[in-house]
Amino acid sequence: MQYIDTALDGESLVTPDAIAAEVFSSKGQKIDDRERMLAETELALALNMALSQFKQEKPPAEVVHWMAGALHKIRNRVSPAIWQTLIPMAQNHAVSDYFLEDPFTNWSFSKPRGYSGDAQLLDFIYGHESVAEEIANASPLGSAIYNYTKDASSSVAVRERRDLLTQHVDEMATSRGADVEIMTIAAGHLREANRSVALQENRIKRWVALDQDPLSIGSIRRDFAGTCIEPVDGSVRSLLTNQHRLGKFDFIYAAGLYDYLNDKVSVKLTKKCLSMLKPNGVFMFANFAEDIVVDGYMETFMNWALLLRSEPDMWRIIHASTPEGDVDAQVRFGANRNVVYGFIRKIG
Ligand SMILES: C[S@@+](CC[C@H](N)C(=O)[O-])C[C@H]1O[C@@H](n2cnc3c(N)ncnc32)[C@H](O)[C@@H]1O
């Protein structure tokens, strides 16, 4: 992971500014004026080109695909400090009005819940009924762009992530038996529970779902009333400061959270989760990977910055969290390598 030198404390609301400070911290980085001017020119050309493609009524999916590719190339080529200066230029360009017709891009950009990456945003990726109205009310252009963004490689990886979570929960329930206890951190709407066969068959003793957003907690409480799922209003901070008495678990996992936590907080949280495992328990954390190609589109038109991690980044967190080495650990990628997973099994 690059350019991280300030601290996110893992506390409640994740604001775009806090993440941008983490992702693009440019402290001490000198901006080369010539490089900046060249980058601005290149970006202006790309934005104008996309605008004229929209005006010529080119298929919207082609325009957004082309734009996302152009942004990815520019982001990779310029220094982080310069890229940071380019983001507002894209956001303030007339072409952004076209992209914002996509209800998914619009939700991400406008952040109705006040922070980046809320659970309702993920519902656009899952195609969940909670966002059916926004999707139905989109303009024809917005619908066409949404048809692209909902199937972008990152979205495909998030749907696979949800399905893998269901699979791990069900496998854990099968292998551990009726006393199995699970905890989800940053649960969002806990959509992975919808398809859990073990949950349907009442084969899980306890499934704690913790999130800092009261709206998400309310959604879980409503959707899973009468099941073993226990919604807990809590944050990374409240966990780290021992404000809950949650007991021990066979399986603890976090998806869609580490992307917002710097290494220091990630290590603290990982250690905390390992301390809450039963013998042979498993902790899993997912992170968007550096291979993602829609990073430039997400950071500009969606105003959705994430801390992308590589395989060595994941291992660094694992090694720093397990100094005694009394664990089995693995790092694996999802099918399209847009999400990377760290698994730590506590031995004995
Ligand atoms: C991208 S969503 C992921 C939801 C779900 N895990 C999924 O994969 O669909 C991120 C969730 O993390 C929660 N979150 C963000 N920061 C948090 C923190 N510091 N403590 C607890 N939850 C947090 C948000 O409220 C949101 O529900």
Coordinates of all heavy atoms in Angstrom, one line a residue, residues 245-280:
R245 N -19.3 -6.8 25.7 CA -19.0 -8.1 26.2 C -19.6 -9.2 25.3 O -20.8 -9.5 25.4 CB -19.6 -8.3 27.6 CG -18.8 -7.6 28.7 CD -19.4 -7.8 30.1 NE -18.8 -6.9 31.0 CZ -17.6 -7.2 31.6 NH1 -17.0 -8.4 31.4 NH2 -17.1 -6.3 32.4
L246 N -18.8 -9.6 24.3 CA -19.4 -10.4 23.2 C -19.0 -11.8 23.3 O -19.6 -12.7 22.6 CB -19.0 -9.8 21.9 CG -19.4 -8.3 21.6 CD1 -18.8 -7.8 20.4 CD2 -20.9 -8.3 21.4
G247 N -18.0 -12.2 24.1 CA -17.7 -13.6 24.2 C -16.7 -14.0 23.1 O -16.0 -13.2 22.5
K248 N -16.7 -15.3 22.9 CA -15.7 -15.9 21.9 C -16.5 -16.5 20.7 O -17.6 -16.9 20.8 CB -14.9 -17.0 22.6 CG -14.1 -16.5 23.8 CD -12.7 -16.3 23.4 CE -11.9 -15.8 24.6 NZ -10.5 -15.5 24.3
F249 N -15.7 -16.6 19.6 CA -16.4 -17.0 18.3 C -15.5 -18.0 17.6 O -14.3 -18.1 17.7 CB -16.6 -15.7 17.4 CG -17.5 -14.7 18.0 CD1 -16.9 -13.7 18.9 CD2 -18.8 -14.8 17.9 CE1 -17.8 -12.8 19.5 CE2 -19.7 -13.8 18.5 CZ -19.1 -12.8 19.3
D250 N -16.2 -18.8 16.7 CA -15.6 -19.7 15.8 C -15.1 -19.0 14.6 O -14.1 -19.4 14.0 CB -16.5 -20.8 15.4 CG -17.0 -21.6 16.6 OD1 -16.2 -22.6 17.0 OD2 -18.1 -21.3 17.1
F251 N -15.8 -18.0 14.2 CA -15.5 -17.3 12.9 C -15.8 -15.9 13.1 O -17.0 -15.5 13.4 CB -16.3 -18.0 11.8 CG -16.1 -17.4 10.4 CD1 -14.8 -17.1 10.0 CD2 -17.1 -17.2 9.5 CE1 -14.6 -16.6 8.7 CE2 -16.9 -16.7 8.2 CZ -15.6 -16.4 7.8
I252 N -14.8 -15.0 12.8 CA -15.0 -13.6 12.8 C -14.6 -13.0 11.5 O -13.5 -13.5 11.0 CB -14.2 -12.9 14.0 CG1 -14.6 -13.5 15.3 CG2 -14.5 -11.4 13.9 CD1 -13.8 -12.9 16.5
Y253 N -15.3 -12.2 10.9 CA -14.9 -11.6 9.6 C -15.3 -10.2 9.4 O -16.2 -9.7 10.0 CB -15.3 -12.5 8.4 CG -16.8 -12.5 8.2 CD1 -17.4 -11.5 7.4 CD2 -17.7 -13.4 8.8 CE1 -18.8 -11.4 7.2 CE2 -19.0 -13.4 8.6 CZ -19.6 -12.4 7.8 OH -21.0 -12.3 7.6
A254 N -14.5 -9.5 8.6 CA -14.8 -8.1 8.2 C -14.7 -8.0 6.7 O -13.6 -8.3 6.2 CB -13.9 -7.2 8.9
A255 N -15.7 -7.5 6.0 CA -15.6 -7.2 4.6 C -16.1 -5.8 4.4 O -17.1 -5.4 4.9 CB -16.5 -8.2 3.8
G256 N -15.4 -5.0 3.6 CA -15.8 -3.6 3.3 C -15.4 -2.7 4.5 O -16.0 -1.7 4.7
L257 N -14.4 -3.1 5.3 CA -14.0 -2.3 6.4 C -12.5 -1.9 6.3 O -12.1 -0.8 6.5 CB -14.3 -3.0 7.7 CG -13.8 -2.3 9.0 CD1 -14.5 -0.9 9.2 CD2 -14.0 -3.1 10.3
Y258 N -11.7 -2.9 6.1 CA -10.2 -2.7 6.1 C -9.8 -1.7 5.0 O -8.8 -1.0 5.2 CB -9.4 -4.0 6.0 CG -9.3 -4.7 7.3 CD1 -10.4 -5.1 8.1 CD2 -8.0 -4.9 7.9 CE1 -10.2 -5.8 9.3 CE2 -7.8 -5.5 9.1 CZ -8.9 -6.0 9.8 OH -8.8 -6.6 11.0
D259 N -10.6 -1.6 4.0 CA -10.4 -0.6 2.9 C -10.4 0.8 3.4 O -10.0 1.7 2.7 CB -11.5 -0.7 1.8 CG -11.9 -2.1 1.6 OD1 -12.7 -2.7 2.3 OD2 -11.4 -2.7 0.6
Y260 N -10.9 1.0 4.7 CA -10.9 2.4 5.3 C -10.0 2.5 6.5 O -9.9 3.6 7.1 CB -12.3 2.7 5.7 CG -13.4 2.5 4.6 CD1 -14.1 1.4 4.5 CD2 -13.6 3.6 3.8 CE1 -15.0 1.2 3.5 CE2 -14.5 3.5 2.7 CZ -15.2 2.3 2.6 OH -16.1 2.1 1.6
L261 N -9.3 1.4 6.8 CA -8.4 1.5 8.0 C -6.9 1.5 7.6 O -6.5 0.6 6.8 CB -8.7 0.3 8.9 CG -10.2 0.0 9.3 CD1 -10.3 -1.2 10.2 CD2 -10.7 1.2 10.1
N262 N -6.2 2.3 8.2 CA -4.7 2.3 7.9 C -4.1 1.1 8.6 O -4.8 0.3 9.4 CB -4.1 3.6 8.4 CG -4.0 3.8 9.9 OD1 -4.3 2.8 10.6 ND2 -3.8 5.0 10.3
D263 N -2.8 0.8 8.3 CA -2.2 -0.4 8.8 C -2.2 -0.5 10.4 O -2.5 -1.5 10.9 CB -0.7 -0.4 8.4 CG -0.6 -1.0 7.0 OD1 -1.6 -1.1 6.3 OD2 0.5 -1.4 6.6
K264 N -2.0 0.7 11.0 CA -1.9 0.7 12.5 C -3.2 0.2 13.1 O -3.3 -0.7 14.0 CB -1.6 2.1 12.9 CG -1.0 2.2 14.3 CD -0.5 3.6 14.6 CE -0.7 3.9 16.1 NZ -0.7 5.3 16.3
V265 N -4.3 0.8 12.6 CA -5.7 0.4 13.2 C -6.0 -1.0 12.7 O -6.6 -1.8 13.5 CB -6.8 1.4 12.7 CG1 -8.1 1.0 13.3 CG2 -6.4 2.8 13.2
S266 N -5.6 -1.4 11.5 CA -5.9 -2.7 11.0 C -5.2 -3.8 11.9 O -5.8 -4.8 12.2 CB -5.4 -2.9 9.6 OG -6.0 -2.0 8.7
V267 N -4.0 -3.5 12.3 CA -3.3 -4.5 13.1 C -3.9 -4.6 14.5 O -4.2 -5.7 15.0 CB -1.8 -4.1 13.2 CG1 -1.1 -4.9 14.3 CG2 -1.1 -4.2 11.9
K268 N -4.3 -3.4 15.0 CA -5.0 -3.4 16.4 C -6.3 -4.2 16.3 O -6.6 -5.0 17.2 CB -5.3 -2.0 16.8 CG -4.2 -1.2 17.4 CD -4.8 0.0 18.1 CE -3.7 1.0 18.3 NZ -4.2 2.4 18.6
L269 N -7.0 -4.0 15.2 CA -8.3 -4.7 15.1 C -8.1 -6.2 14.9 O -8.8 -7.0 15.5 CB -9.1 -4.1 13.9 CG -10.5 -4.7 13.7 CD1 -11.4 -4.6 14.9 CD2 -11.2 -4.1 12.5
T270 N -7.1 -6.5 14.1 CA -6.9 -7.9 13.8 C -6.5 -8.6 15.1 O -7.0 -9.7 15.5 CB -5.7 -8.1 12.8 OG1 -6.1 -7.3 11.6 CG2 -5.5 -9.5 12.4
K271 N -5.6 -8.0 15.9 CA -5.2 -8.6 17.2 C -6.4 -8.8 18.1 O -6.6 -9.8 18.8 CB -4.2 -7.7 17.9 CG -2.8 -7.8 17.4 CD -1.9 -6.9 18.2 CE -0.4 -7.1 17.8 NZ 0.5 -6.1 18.4
K272 N -7.3 -7.7 18.1 CA -8.5 -7.8 19.0 C -9.4 -9.0 18.5 O -9.8 -9.8 19.4 CB -9.2 -6.5 18.9 CG -10.5 -6.4 19.6 CD -10.3 -6.4 21.1 CE -11.5 -6.6 21.9 NZ -11.2 -6.8 23.3
C273 N -9.5 -9.1 17.2 CA -10.4 -10.2 16.7 C -9.8 -11.6 17.1 O -10.5 -12.5 17.4 CB -10.6 -10.1 15.2 SG -11.6 -8.6 14.8
L274 N -8.5 -11.7 16.9 CA -7.8 -13.0 17.2 C -8.0 -13.3 18.7 O -8.2 -14.5 19.1 CB -6.3 -12.9 16.9 CG -6.0 -12.8 15.4 CD1 -4.5 -12.7 15.2 CD2 -6.5 -14.0 14.6
S275 N -8.1 -12.3 19.6 CA -8.2 -12.5 21.0 C -9.7 -13.0 21.3 O -10.0 -13.5 22.4 CB -7.9 -11.3 21.8 OG -9.0 -10.3 21.7
M276 N -10.6 -12.7 20.3 CA -12.0 -13.1 20.6 C -12.3 -14.5 19.9 O -13.5 -14.8 19.8 CB -12.9 -12.0 20.0 CG -12.7 -10.7 20.8 SD -13.7 -9.4 20.0 CE -15.3 -9.8 20.6
L277 N -11.3 -15.2 19.4 CA -11.6 -16.5 18.8 C -11.5 -17.6 19.8 O -10.6 -17.6 20.7 CB -10.5 -16.7 17.6 CG -10.7 -15.9 16.3 CD1 -9.6 -16.3 15.4 CD2 -12.1 -16.2 15.7
K278 N -12.3 -18.6 19.6 CA -12.1 -19.9 20.3 C -10.9 -20.6 19.7 O -10.4 -20.3 18.6 CB -13.4 -20.8 20.1 CG -14.7 -20.2 20.6 CD -15.8 -21.2 20.3 CE -17.1 -20.5 20.4 NZ -18.2 -21.4 19.9
P279 N -10.4 -21.6 20.4 CA -9.3 -22.4 19.8 C -9.7 -22.9 18.4 O -10.9 -23.3 18.2 CB -9.2 -23.6 20.8 CG -9.7 -23.1 22.1 CD -10.8 -22.1 21.7
N280 N -8.8 -22.8 17.4 CA -9.1 -23.2 16.1 C -10.0 -22.3 15.3 O -10.4 -22.6 14.2 CB -9.7 -24.6 16.0 CG -8.6 -25.6 15.8 OD1 -7.7 -25.4 15.0 ND2 -8.7 -26.8 16.4

